[in-house]
Amino acid sequence: MSLGVLTAIGDSASIKTASFDAIFSALSSDSRFRVLSSPSIRVKSGSHGVITVGADVPVLGSVSYDGAGKPVQSVKMMSSGVIFDLKPFVTESSVDLTVNQQISNFVPTTNGVNSSPTLLKRDISTVVGTTHDEVIFLGGLVEVKKSEDTSGFSFLPSWTHSGGSDESRSELLLILQVQKLERKI
């Protein structure tokens, strides 16, 4: 299969091709990859476009005081999950994209303000230049999870205990195809 011209720099790569579906199909058939979301978004040059696949979670905000001096706690909603924010700048021959990616989730807080959750996040920001129909691969949001488990009676020596460990690795790979749409007047 010929996909076009591949250019790789660090954790990113771009392919000059008109067949985004062929790339998507090839990755979908590989069991190492799992599609989290495949949205499409149209963004005007200089404006922000945001895609969020996740949840809005209530967290404690600022404290204010009413007329009687009684404290009033505000609550604000914060997004978590897979969040993708882009801002294109379109020129005659290219498109420069400011890309922000975030993977996040909330966990119970064990220190500080226990009644509000803690946001765990991984994010990356970059600016890339592309042309019409070019496909860009952006990686780098890697998560490694390690867990250890032991079992046995606490009153027996530790050498009688059994245990095991597990390690998993995941990386968010963003596949992005930019298409310039001509504005008809």
Side-chain angles (χ1 to χ4, degrees), residues 6-183:
L6 174 66
T7 307
I9 301 172
D11 282 340
S12 66
S14 68
I15 296 177
K16 186 68 175 177
T17 182
S19 182
F20 181 75
D21 291 335
I23 297 167
F24 188 75
S25 176
L27 291 175
S28 295
S29 65
D30 189 326
S31 64
R32 295 174 298 168
F33 296 95
R34 185 173 53 134
V35 177
L36 296 179
S37 180
S38 55
S40 177
I41 188 170
R42 182 181 285 187
V43 183
K44 182 180 174 183
S45 180
S47 299
H48 278 277
V50 179
I51 297 171
T52 303
V53 179
D56 283 344
V57 176
V59 296
L60 295 178
S62 62
V63 175
S64 60
Y65 296 91
D66 65 10
K70 188 174 162 183
V72 178
Q73 179 78 54
S74 69
V75 175
K76 61 181 180 176
M77 302 300 280
M78 290 186 63
S79 296
S80 68
V82 178
I83 302 169
F84 173 63
D85 180 344
L86 69 90
K87 184 175 185 179
F89 290 98
V90 179
T91 65
E92 187 68 32
S93 60
S94 68
V95 178
D96 291 333
L97 294 171
T98 301
V99 180
N100 299 300
Q101 298 176 73
Q102 180 186 109
I103 300 176
S104 57
N105 65 314
F106 284 94
V107 296
T109 299
T110 57
N111 57 12
V113 183
N114 286 333
S115 55
S116 190
T118 298
L119 178 66
L120 299 179
K121 70 178 181 176
R122 295 175 284 144
D123 61 3
I124 189 168
S125 296
T126 189
V127 178
V128 294
T130 183
T131 59
H132 176 70
D133 267 349
E134 189 173 17
V135 177
I136 299 171
F137 292 79
L138 296 173
L141 288 177
V142 177
E143 180 178 36
V144 177
K145 290 183 180 179
K146 295 179 183 181
S147 64
E148 292 185 17
D149 188 26
T150 60
S151 63
F153 295 108
S154 59
F155 59 86
L156 293 176
S158 61
W159 58 268
T160 64
H161 297 176
S162 63
S165 64
D166 187 31
E167 181 174 308
S168 65
R169 180 182 189 277
S170 65
E171 179 172 4
L172 180 66
L173 177 63
L174 175 67
I175 305 169
L176 181 65
Q177 182 178 30
V178 175
Q179 294 179 329
K180 285 173 50 174
L181 301 176
E182 298 298 323
R183 202 163 130 171

